[in-house]
Amino acid sequence: MRYLGLIILGCFVTPSVAWAQANTLKVVYPPTNHQTNTEKIFLLGTAPNRGEVRINNQVIQRSKSGHFAPSFPLNVGENLFTISYDNQQIQIQVNRVDPQPEIPPGLAFVQNSLTPQVDISRLPGEEICLSAIATPNANLKVKLGEQTVNLSPQTEQVSLPNNSFIYIDKNQPITQVIPGKYQGCTRLGRLTNAEQPEFQLTLNGETITQVSPGKIHTLSPTKLPVVEVIAEAGVARTGPSTTDSRLTPLPKGVRASVTAKEGDWLRLDYGAWIHSQETRRIPGAIPPRSMIRSILSRQLPTATEIVFPLQVPVPITVEQGDRTFTLTLHNTTAQTDTIRLDDDPLISRLDWQQIAPGTVQYTFNLKTDQQWGYNLEYRNTTLVLTLRHPPAISRKPQPLSGVEILLNAGHGGEELGAVGPTGDLAKDLNLVVTKLLRDELRRLGANVEMTREDDRDLSLVSRQNMIDRKQPAIALTFHYRFLADDGDAENTKGVSSYWYHPQAHSLAVLLQNRLVQNLGRSSFGVYWNNLALTRPHSAPSVLLELGFMSNPDDFDLAMDSQEQRKLAQVLAEGIVQWFNIAGE
C-alpha cells in the first residue's frame, strides 16, 4: 500500500509555527473521497493529548500520545465523517461500493458478465464452463459450434476471500446470493475454427442474444505449439492469473509444449501456467522430451554442484524437506546406471526413481536439517544444481566473524510504505531500524551488506538480484505494516515473520519468538507467504513486519529511539542464537 505525505527538512520553524503544528488535528487515513467495498472503515490520526477528539460528535478513545484509530460502519454510498478537536474540524467522505452486480431492468445481460472474457484454447474433450449474469428466472442457453449448452441458475455462490483476509480473521468461505447468475459446463468437441459463444436469454416468449468477448478454440494434440522460457526465472503458476499460486520457477531455456491458452497465459505440458511474455515460440519444434543417463557431482569451495546432462532443457520442480532436497524432471525418461557422488559435506546419499512415465525424481538425503540455499540453471541443455554449504564461522574474536548477512530496508524513494498517525512514513522507520541492526551485527563480527543506506528508489527485482549476486548466509527484510479498511486498527498490533522456502522457516520462528519473549511485543504470527523478498532461494530469506503503523500503541513503540535500539539488539542476539543452532 502506498501513501503520500509531506516531509519538511532543514528549514527554520518559528515559535508560532511550531506551536500551531503541535496543536494541530491531523487525519492521515482514509483520504477524502476514499472508495471501498468494506462494511467499515477506521480513521487514523492524531491531536494533542489534552482535550477531546470527536468523530460525528462521538468522543473517541486515544493513546497516551493522542493518536486514534477508531472504526465506524459504512452504508452503501456516501459516508461523511466530521472530525473535531478544539476549534478545528476536518471532513472526510468515504464511498462504499455495493459489491453486488446491478441487474438492469427488462430482459438484459449484466455488462461484462459473459465468459469467457478472453480468448481460450483447450484440448478436445476438456471440460469448459460458461457463465453469465442476467435477468433472473429466465432460460439461458449457449450455442458453441454445433453444441448447445444449457445454463442453470446458480443464485447461491460460495466464494473465498482474498488471501490477505487472513490478517483480519475473515478468510472463511462466504456464501453469496447473486440473483441472475447462470452457469453450465460441457466437454469441448473439436471446433473447426475459433468460436465465439452465443448466449440466448429467453423470458415470456422474448429472446435476446449476445456473444461473449472471448473466443474458444481447440488445439490439435498432434500439432501442439512449443515454447522456450526467455526470462531468467520464468514464473510458473497453478492457474492463468497472478492470483494463482507460484510453483518452482523455470530456468531460462526450458522448453515445453503448450496444451492450453487463456488470454496471455499458456499452460505447459507438465501442468503449470506461464505468461506468454516470458516465452518465445519455437516454430516447427517437436514436443520436448529427454533421456537422462549418468549424473556427476563435484565439490566447489562453498557449494556442491550436481550436473544432469539432458537432450533438451525440461521443466523442473523442487521440494525441500527435513534433511531432503527433491528435484523432479518432467518430460524425462531415466536410463541411469551410474551416479558419481563422493563423500560430501552436505549430501549423504542421492536416490532416484521414475515416479511416472516422463517424470524422474531425485532425492538428496542431507547430513543436517538446515539448508543454506540453492541455484538451478541450464548450461546449454545440461541442468546444473548448486547446493550451498554451511557458512564458515570462526566465532573468534566475535560470534559472527566471517558471516555474510544482507539487510534490506523496505520501500524508499517514491515508495513510501505505510503511514503513521502523525504522517511519519514506514520507509524512514525501516531504514532507521536496519541501520541500527547493521551496527549491532558488525560489532559481532558479521560482514553486512545493505540494499540501501539512504532514501532511494529500489525495485523489488533489484533487491532480489542483490541477494542472488551477494550470496549471503541469510537475507533479512524489514517493514512496518498497515491494516486493511475493515480491520480493527485500535486492537490489531504486533510483530510478524514471513518465510517461503523451508530453509528459512526456523529463522523466521526464532526471530519472531525473540521479539515476543525478549522484547515483550505482541505477536501477530508466523506466516508462510509468497512475497518478493521471501522468494529468493539462494539464501534463507525472511521478512519481518515490526509492527502496525495503523495501531497507536505500535506506532509509539516504532517512534521511540530507545525501543528502536532494543529491537536491533534483540534481533542481533537472535541471529547469533540461530547460527549457533543451525551449525550444530
Side-chain angles (χ1 to χ4, degrees):
M1 193 175 291
R2 187 173 172 183
Y3 300 91
L4 298 179
L6 177 64
I7 303 176
I8 302 175
L9 299 175
C11 61
F12 177 73
V13 180
T14 66
S16 60
V17 172
W19 183 90
Q21 291 175 346
N23 289 272
T24 298
L25 169 68
K26 179 180 289 188
V27 179
V28 299
Y29 189 83
T32 192
N33 296 323
H34 178 64
Q35 185 169 295
T36 183
N37 61 4
T38 60
E39 296 178 352
K40 63 179 181 178
I41 191 82
F42 65 86
L43 278 67
L44 180 66
T46 192
N49 55 9
R50 56 175 173 76
E52 295 178 340
V53 171
R54 293 175 177 265
I55 298 181
N56 290 352
N57 210 32
Q58 174 184 336
V59 178
I60 61 168
Q61 179 181 340
R62 297 196 287 152
S63 71
K64 292 180 180 179
S65 301
H67 311 322
F68 55 84
S71 294
F72 294 89
L74 293 175
N75 297 316
V76 173
E78 296 181 357
N79 298 261
L80 185 65
F81 296 96
T82 301
I83 305 97
S84 305
Y85 170 76
D86 201 8
N87 61 350
Q88 303 170 52
Q89 192 176 90
I90 297 173
Q91 287 194 326
I92 292 177
Q93 181 175 298
V94 178
N95 302 310
R96 180 185 170 193
V97 179
D98 189 352
Q100 292 280 22
E102 184 177 349
I103 305 295
L107 193 63
F109 293 97
V110 170
Q111 188 175 8
N112 299 324
S113 71
L114 277 59
T115 63
Q117 284 285 307
V118 296
D119 292 349
I120 67 172
S121 300
R122 294 290 189 273
L123 294 169
E126 285 198 68
E127 184 179 67
I128 60 165
C129 294
L130 306 166
S131 64
I133 303 176
T135 306
N137 305 314
N139 292 318
L140 183 55
K141 60 184 179 181
V142 182
K143 292 186 66 178
L144 178 62
E146 297 181 357
Q147 291 180 275
T148 298
V149 185
N150 292 313
L151 305 192
S152 304
Q154 307 287 326
T155 55
E156 192 172 274
Q157 299 275 306
V158 177
S159 63
L160 294 176
N162 186 284
N163 278 292
S164 62
F165 276 61
I166 192 174
Y167 301 129
I168 54 175
D169 293 328
K170 293 185 178 180
N171 65 322
Q172 295 303 306
I174 301 170
T175 300
Q176 296 175 299
V177 176
I178 306 177
K181 179 69 180 283
Y182 298 85
Q183 189 172 19
C185 301
T186 186
R187 294 286 175 184
L188 185 63
R190 187 179 295 275
L191 300 174
T192 306
N193 299 301
E195 295 281 352
Q196 214 162 1
E198 181 184 87
F199 289 71
Q200 298 179 352
L201 184 68
T202 302
L203 181 65
N204 299 327
E206 183 184 356
T207 299
I208 62 169
T209 63
Q210 187 173 323
V211 295
S212 68
K215 297 179 181 179
I216 298 177
H217 179 260
T218 50
L219 296 169
S220 170
T222 60
K223 297 180 181 179
L224 294 176
V226 173
V227 295
E228 179 179 88
V229 175
I230 58 174
E232 288 299 326
V235 180
R237 295 185 179 272
T238 57
S241 76
T242 55
T243 60
D244 288 293
S245 298
R246 287 176 178 250
L247 301 171
T248 302
L250 297 176
K252 186 176 182 179
V254 164
R255 290 192 177 190
S257 300
V258 175
T259 59
K261 298 180 183 179
E262 191 155 326
D264 295 326
W265 293 85
L266 310 175
R267 186 181 69 196
L268 304 183
D269 49 23
Y270 78 109
W273 291 78
I274 189 171
H275 198 279
S276 59
Q277 287 185 340
E278 297 192 283
T279 69
R280 70 180 181 95
R281 186 166 179 174
I282 311 296
I286 62 173
R289 300 289 183 268
S290 182
M291 292 185 300
I292 184 164
R293 290 179 177 161
S294 60
I295 297 165
L296 173 69
S297 71
R298 55 193 176 210
Q299 287 188 32
L300 305 179
T302 60
T304 298
E305 272 191 356
I306 303 93
V307 181
F308 300 85
L310 296 161
Q311 296 167 295
V312 63
V314 299
I316 53 105
T317 51
V318 164
E319 181 181 359
Q320 288 179 303
D322 294 335
R323 296 206 175 203
T324 60
F325 182 98
T326 302
L327 172 68
T328 301
L329 306 183
H330 301 278
N331 301 333
T332 303
T333 301
Q335 292 185 349
T336 301
D337 285 332
T338 307
I339 296 174
R340 176 172 179 172
L341 180 64
D342 297 337
D343 186 27
D344 188 86
L346 187 68
I347 306 166
S348 62
R349 192 178 70 250
L350 171 57
D351 301 326
W352 73 268
Q353 58 180 324
Q354 186 92 38
I355 61 173
T359 307
V360 186
Q361 193 168 81
Y362 297 89
T363 300
F364 295 85
N365 299 278
L366 306 178
K367 293 182 177 179
T368 61
D369 292 335
Q370 182 59 46
Q371 298 182 41
W372 296 93
Y374 69 92
N375 291 291
L376 274 163
E377 65 174 326
Y378 274 104
R379 299 173 188 169
N380 296 319
T381 64
T382 295
L383 179 67
V384 179
L385 166 66
T386 305
L387 297 176
R388 296 183 60 195
H389 295 168
I393 306 175
S394 66
R395 306 198 191 283
K396 291 182 178 181
Q398 294 113 343
L400 293 179
S401 293
V403 178
E404 302 282 342
I405 297 175
L406 185 140
L407 301 181
N408 174 45
H411 302 293
E414 294 186 3
E415 290 297 327
L416 309 181
V419 62
T422 60
D424 289 274
L425 301 171
K427 68 168 185 174
D428 301 317
L429 284 170
N430 297 338
L431 188 57
V432 168
V433 170
T434 306
K435 283 184 171 181
L436 288 171
L437 178 58
R438 172 202 62 191
D439 296 343
E440 286 289 328
L441 293 174
R442 285 177 176 170
R443 183 178 61 81
L444 295 168
N447 299 322
V448 182
E449 290 280 352
M450 300 271 286
T451 58
R452 68 178 182 98
E453 299 204 48
D454 53 20
D455 185 20
R456 66 175 63 193
D457 290 300
L458 194 63
S459 71
L460 294 175
V461 172
S462 296
R463 299 170 201 249
Q464 291 174 320
N465 289 343
M466 191 170 180
I467 295 173
D468 291 336
R469 186 174 68 255
K470 295 293 184 179
Q471 301 273 300
I474 60 172
L476 300 176
T477 294
F478 298 97
H479 280 263
Y480 283 89
R481 65 181 305 155
F482 204 82
L483 199 61
D485 281 355
D486 52 354
D488 182 358
E490 282 186 316
N491 296 305
T492 302
K493 59 184 177 179
V495 296
S496 48
S497 299
Y498 301 80
W499 61 280
Y500 184 72
H501 298 287
Q503 63 194 18
H505 175 251
S506 63
L507 178 59
V509 171
L510 187 144
L511 293 181
Q512 176 76 6
N513 288 343
R514 292 284 303 200
L515 292 176
V516 173
Q517 296 168 9
N518 295 62
L519 203 57
R521 297 296 175 90
S522 300
S523 176
F524 193 66
V526 177
Y527 298 85
W528 176 91
N529 207 327
N530 173 15
L531 300 171
L533 272 303
T534 59
R535 284 198 299 270
H537 50 70
S538 57
S541 301
V542 168
L543 184 146
L544 292 165
E545 295 278 6
L546 299 175
F548 282 84
M549 300 286 279
S550 50
N551 178 268
D553 295 330
D554 267 10
F555 180 72
D556 280 342
L557 288 171
M559 296 295 292
D560 188 315
S561 59
Q562 186 175 353
E563 289 293 331
Q564 291 168 355
R565 289 190 291 273
K566 286 182 184 177
L567 181 67
Q569 184 177 356
V570 168
L571 286 171
E573 291 169 353
I575 290 168
V576 171
Q577 181 185 0
W578 183 79
F579 275 106
N580 287 337
I581 295 171
E584 291 177 353

